[in-house]
Amino acid sequence: MNRARWGNGARAVASGLLWTAPWWLGFLLFLAVPMGMSLYISFCDYPLLQRPVYIGAANYRALVVDPVFHKVLLNTAVYAALAIPLGTVAAVLLAVLLNQRVRGQSWFRACVFVPTVVPLVGTGLVWLWMLNPEYGLINQALRWISPTLDGLNAALAALTGHRAQWLTRLAAGPEWLSLPGWAMAALVLVSLWGLGSAVVIYLAGLQEIPEELYEAAMLDGASATRRFWHVTLPGLSPVILFNVIIALIGTWQIFALPYVLMRGEPGPQRSTYFYTMYLFDNAFRYLKMGYASAMAWIQLLIILALTGLVFLAGRRAVYYRGA
């Protein structure tokens, strides 16, 4: 009897493994094994065209004293600190606007989403033209409204006693990709181009907020602003948490857009040299695959740590309906 049960159980396990084989084989071949190899290579001197030589933790010790590594770490952190909050606020506001029942609603939603299906290289080439200091569309628009910006600067000077140099430069049309501060600002601006996916997710979240909550708030005399703060944002908080984590992972892996916009170079004073770009250069330009693998594992640990911090912050800030 026990043998029969054991045989039936073994056949059930074998059948289950067979049916799930596409998943676990793919996991082993394309994730687990490559990650294990990468971990081993991170402890090796591996010039890619020769056999790896084990050198212990030398790659990790070299990263600690590498000034370029410190620079790309800071650049990526600054970019994430600017792009994630700005993108989150813009996406939520766009979703709220697109959720209104107005004529042409579907058309406006399509306009917001379409840029996300454009390949990143194509997007980079378009923005390369738009950010051109001489004939780019953005600088032409800034020159057109330069009297307004000059007036704003004059008013600021009257209040503070001095003009804002960045506002003066903005009115004249900055060289976006040639100056350190403006290059970072340009990349943050370009990041807003791909908000369509987040907006669609926020729209789905808005549909899940019960109308009864808005009706109750209106009966209590809550204004539109109060309904947004006390009904919409709490209802969207789980979706915001999800999108922030996705944005966090994406910003710490940013590569294609700065690589295209800067033509594969680090940018002015390495101001737009990001973590993944330096990792790529070490692996395929300098043929230091062991060094690049060590960077990859540190990148994974950074993303995991930041994701954990976001989850901890979300325990108090996120409201789960029915929980």
Side-chain angles (χ1 to χ4, degrees), residues 258-268 270 272-274 277 281 285:
Y259 194 84
V260 173
L261 289 173
M262 299 300 165
R263 299 176 176 88
E265 299 300 323
R270 290 200 176 108
T272 55
Y273 202 24
F274 294 109
M277 295 172 68
D281 285 344
R285 181 175 292 184

Side-chain angles (χ1 to χ4, degrees), residues 79 120-125 128 177 183 187 190 253-267 272-286:
Y79 174 79
L120 288 176
V121 174
T123 299
L125 292 174
L128 197 60
L177 303 178
L187 286 171
V190 173
Q253 293 180 328
I254 184 173
F255 174 78
L257 281 176
Y259 194 84
V260 173
L261 289 173
M262 299 300 165
R263 299 176 176 88
E265 299 300 323
T272 55
Y273 202 24
F274 294 109
Y275 197 102
T276 309
M277 295 172 68
Y278 188 44
L279 190 155
F280 175 85
D281 285 344
N282 276 299
F284 301 108
R285 181 175 292 184
Y286 311 135

Side-chain angles (χ1 to χ4, degrees), residues 35-103:
M35 285 185 68
M37 293 174 63
S38 171
L39 182 60
Y40 171 72
I41 290 171
S42 71
F43 294 99
C44 297
D45 178 16
Y46 184 30
L48 196 62
L49 301 178
Q50 300 174 14
R51 296 184 64 179
V53 177
Y54 184 79
I55 57 173
N59 287 323
Y60 293 94
R61 289 195 296 266
L63 283 171
V64 173
V65 296
D66 184 355
V68 180
F69 175 74
H70 297 162
K71 181 67 174 177
V72 298
L73 201 62
L74 177 62
N75 288 343
T76 309
V78 169
Y79 174 79
L82 294 173
I84 293 175
L86 185 60
T88 300
V89 171
V92 169
L93 293 179
L94 273 174
V96 171
L97 290 174
L98 294 173
N99 197 45
Q100 307 302 312
R101 295 183 177 88
V102 295
R103 182 176 297 178

Side-chain angles (χ1 to χ4, degrees), residues 6 9 11 61-62 81 89 125-126 134 164 173 230 287 298 304:
W6 184 89
R11 282 193 294 271
R61 289 195 296 266
V89 171
L125 292 174
V126 170
E134 297 298 327
H230 298 290
L287 300 182
I298 292 176
L304 288 176

Side-chain angles (χ1 to χ4, degrees), residues 62-312:
L63 283 171
V64 173
V65 296
D66 184 355
V68 180
F69 175 74
H70 297 162
K71 181 67 174 177
V72 298
L73 201 62
L74 177 62
N75 288 343
T76 309
V78 169
Y79 174 79
L82 294 173
I84 293 175
L86 185 60
T88 300
V89 171
V92 169
L93 293 179
L94 273 174
V96 171
L97 290 174
L98 294 173
N99 197 45
Q100 307 302 312
R101 295 183 177 88
V102 295
R103 182 176 297 178
Q105 182 189 61
S106 299
W107 184 83
F108 289 119
R109 289 181 177 181
C111 288
V112 171
F113 182 74
V114 162
T116 64
V117 302
V118 178
L120 288 176
V121 174
T123 299
L125 292 174
V126 170
W127 278 96
L128 197 60
W129 166 73
M130 294 181 67
L131 294 169
N132 186 282
E134 297 298 327
Y135 52 83
L137 184 62
I138 292 179
N139 274 7
Q140 289 186 15
L142 289 173
R143 293 185 189 109
W144 183 62
I145 64 170
S146 60
T148 303
L149 295 176
D150 289 336
L152 181 62
N153 207 355
L156 184 64
L159 291 173
T160 62
H162 63 276
R163 287 177 171 266
Q165 294 297 324
W166 67 269
L167 199 53
T168 302
R169 189 60 187 164
L170 187 65
E175 297 180 11
W176 291 97
L177 303 178
S178 301
L179 300 173
W182 291 105
M184 178 64 76
L187 286 171
V188 173
L189 176 65
V190 173
S191 71
L192 299 178
W193 182 256
L195 290 179
S197 298
V199 171
V200 170
I201 297 173
Y202 284 130
L203 280 170
L206 288 170
Q207 305 301 320
E208 294 297 318
I209 300 177
E211 288 291 334
E212 292 81 3
L213 296 179
Y214 290 105
E215 294 172 0
M218 292 176 67
L219 290 174
D220 288 339
S223 62
T225 303
R226 287 186 173 274
R227 292 198 299 272
F228 176 78
W229 281 106
H230 298 290
V231 178
T232 303
L233 281 184
L236 274 183
S237 56
V239 185
I240 294 174
L241 175 67
F242 172 79
N243 276 333
V244 166
I245 291 174
I246 296 299
L248 178 67
I249 296 171
T251 52
W252 275 92
Q253 293 180 328
I254 184 173
F255 174 78
L257 281 176
Y259 194 84
V260 173
L261 289 173
M262 299 300 165
R263 299 176 176 88
E265 299 300 323
Q269 300 178 20
R270 290 200 176 108
S271 60
T272 55
Y273 202 24
F274 294 109
Y275 197 102
T276 309
M277 295 172 68
Y278 188 44
L279 190 155
F280 175 85
D281 285 344
N282 276 299
F284 301 108
R285 181 175 292 184
Y286 311 135
L287 300 182
K288 297 164 60 178
M289 189 60 72
Y291 201 72
S293 296
M295 286 189 64
W297 277 94
I298 292 176
Q299 184 183 41
L300 174 63
L301 294 176
I302 290 172
I303 292 175
L304 288 176
L306 292 176
T307 303
L309 289 175
V310 172
F311 271 117
L312 287 176

